[in-house]
Amino acid sequence: EAGVTQFPSHSVIEKGQTVTLRCDPISGHDNLYWYRRVMGKEIKFLLHFVKESKQDESGMPNNRFLAERTGGTYSTLKVQPAELEDSGVYFCASSSLAGDHQYEQYFGPGTRLTVT
Amino acid sequence: DAKTTQPNSMESNEEEPVHLPCNHSTISGTDYIHWYRQLPSQGPEYVIHGLTSNVNNRMASLAIAEDRKSSTLILHRATLRDAAVYYCILKRAAGNKLTFGGGTRVLVKP
């Protein structure tokens, strides 16, 4: 079974540009989460989808960040326009709504975003 | 979310047990205790979780104090691959977000 995948693995953009990160969760997982770690800080929650609906977006830093999950499958996280402080590693995770493993979040390898 | 306190780092010798403590004195009755770890250049990985009783799985054991104000993750025989940052996290329900702290960086010496 494929794990959570994220694309790209690394992105380097200039300040003011737009970047879109993609996450493909484990097939069948209705919960999808975005987290990020900015330089020197702890991993922070951004938002949580249940299927295509935003369940909790309390961690989104500002309106330059837009997350979507059309159709309840893969998700995208767009940063527009990117600022220097957005640099960091963005992680996606997924989990099932029920069953023996519902308490486990499965993380992808992350996308390293560098804004110059 | 209730806060957890962990030592910044610990060292262990290969093939010896590692006991990672976590204090969570403000834990509520509905908080589950979760442990995740992050190996270098990878995303976090689920290790184990529990509510009141001690738990064992193929990766580790979780010992929970009777008053639930502390817990200990036990790696029975550390390998070099277990070198990672280990996070102790309290979480109310299955679908909720994870709140990461600084974790404990474990160094395994050959």
Side-chain angles (χ1 to χ4, degrees):
Chain A
E1 177 185 295
V4 176
T5 58
Q6 295 187 244
F7 183 83
S9 58
H10 193 183
S11 179
V12 181
I13 61 172
E14 292 183 353
K15 176 183 172 181
Q17 290 186 323
T18 298
V19 64
T20 300
L21 314 181
R22 173 171 170 142
C23 168
D24 286 78
I26 291 173
S27 177
H29 280 190
D30 290 324
N31 287 309
L32 187 149
Y33 312 81
W34 284 98
Y35 297 83
R36 74 171 180 177
R37 181 203 295 274
V38 296
M39 189 65 68
K41 299 288 184 64
E42 297 163 355
I43 299 172
K44 294 290 188 186
F45 165 81
L46 295 178
L47 89 158
H48 169 205
F49 283 100
V50 177
K51 298 183 181 180
E52 67 276 7
S53 299
K54 292 176 184 175
Q55 181 78 8
D56 180 358
E57 49 185 328
S58 61
M60 294 288 265
N62 51 60
N63 59 9
R64 295 186 295 104
F65 289 76
L66 175 64
E68 295 181 322
R69 193 183 182 195
T70 307
T73 54
Y74 71 92
S75 174
T76 58
L77 180 65
K78 181 191 291 188
V79 185
Q80 178 182 31
E83 299 289 345
L84 298 177
E85 65 263 26
D86 300 331
S87 295
V89 182
Y90 290 74
F91 294 104
C92 175
S94 70
S95 69
S96 57
L97 272 176
D100 292 343
H101 299 281
Q102 63 177 298
Y103 290 93
E104 304 170 28
Q105 291 188 20
Y106 296 83
F107 282 77
T111 293
R112 180 173 295 278
L113 174 64
T114 302
V115 182
T116 62
Chain B
D1 292 324
K3 184 176 170 58
T4 64
T5 304
Q6 300 178 250
N8 288 335
S9 63
M10 292 187 72
E11 287 190 4
S12 175
N13 293 317
E14 197 175 10
E15 299 194 3
E16 289 186 355
V18 183
H19 291 240
L20 301 176
C22 180
N23 287 319
H24 28 78
S25 58
T26 60
I27 191 170
S28 74
T30 54
D31 284 334
Y32 287 78
I33 302 160
H34 289 248
W35 285 81
Y36 280 74
R37 71 179 185 180
Q38 186 175 21
L39 279 65
S41 302
Q42 296 188 27
E45 174 187 31
Y46 168 85
V47 177
I48 200 167
H49 80 278
L51 183 62
T52 55
S53 302
N54 294 344
V55 185
N56 300 294
N57 66 20
R58 64 176 179 80
M59 290 181 70
S61 295
L62 176 59
I64 301 172
E66 195 168 333
D67 64 4
R68 300 210 326 126
K69 292 181 185 295
S70 66
S71 60
T72 302
L73 179 71
I74 303 164
L75 307 178
H76 295 286
R77 289 179 69 242
T79 69
L80 296 178
R81 194 191 172 279
D82 291 321
V85 179
Y86 287 77
Y87 299 97
C88 172
I89 298 169
L90 302 183
K91 192 155 81 72
R92 291 277 167 92
N96 283 8
K97 64 186 179 186
L98 295 169
T99 301
F100 290 86
T104 297
R105 182 173 297 279
V106 172
L107 172 65
V108 180
K109 296 181 289 186

